[in-house]
Amino acid sequence: PWLFSDADRTFYGEPNPGYTRREILDLWSDFGTMMMQERPYLSLPMLTKPIVNLFCGEKFNARYRQFLSDPNNFKKCDNNFETFIDTCVELYDELAPGVLDKKPPALELSLIH
């Protein structure tokens, strides 16, 4: 997913939003909470799959993925998606300070082809 942070500029000629990973997870937390209210049949893996590789290539990526993949962590957060994502952000921030707040790199079109 982080590779696609330059997709708006590269493919559509539009400015990239330039969200940090923290901002992406905050937006996803709101979206996931809304989806769980509208569609209570959605499973946790369906909601976490789009963000599971957000830290690909970063240190402690495996710990992040493990947290998202363990349904017990969701239960510990009272089955509240926003609390679940907030807890994940806090844990990752402790493991790798600063990574969540880095802006995405500007990619060259040649790297995507």
Side-chain angles (χ1 to χ4, degrees):
W2 205 237
L3 273 177
F4 295 120
S5 62
D6 198 38
D8 291 330
R9 182 193 62 82
T10 302
F11 296 110
Y12 304 108
E14 298 290 327
N16 294 315
Y19 294 125
T20 65
R21 288 176 174 117
R22 185 183 307 275
E23 292 168 329
I24 290 168
L25 290 170
D26 186 50
L27 291 167
W28 196 256
S29 172
D30 294 342
F31 174 76
T33 299
M34 179 188 70
M35 294 305 295
M36 290 189 90
Q37 290 169 352
E38 290 179 8
R39 300 178 181 148
Y41 56 83
L42 286 177
S43 67
L44 184 62
M46 288 179 73
L47 288 171
T48 58
K49 187 173 182 174
I51 59 170
V52 79
N53 288 314
L54 188 59
F55 292 93
C56 185
E58 291 288 345
K59 194 172 183 179
F60 303 112
N61 175 47
R63 296 276 301 272
Y64 166 80
R65 289 190 334 267
Q66 288 167 352
F67 182 88
L68 288 179
S69 302
D70 187 346
N72 290 319
N73 290 327
F74 188 60
K75 290 175 188 171
K76 290 176 189 173
C77 293
D78 297 323
N79 295 324
N80 180 301
F81 193 74
E82 183 176 4
T83 303
F84 175 68
I85 296 298
D86 289 347
T87 302
C88 183
V89 166
E90 288 172 18
L91 292 172
Y92 195 84
D93 212 12
E94 288 175 15
L95 292 170
V99 173
L100 281 158
D101 298 313
K102 284 196 294 189
K103 291 285 186 182
L107 299 177
E108 296 299 322
L109 185 60
S110 61
L111 293 175
I112 296 175
H113 287 298

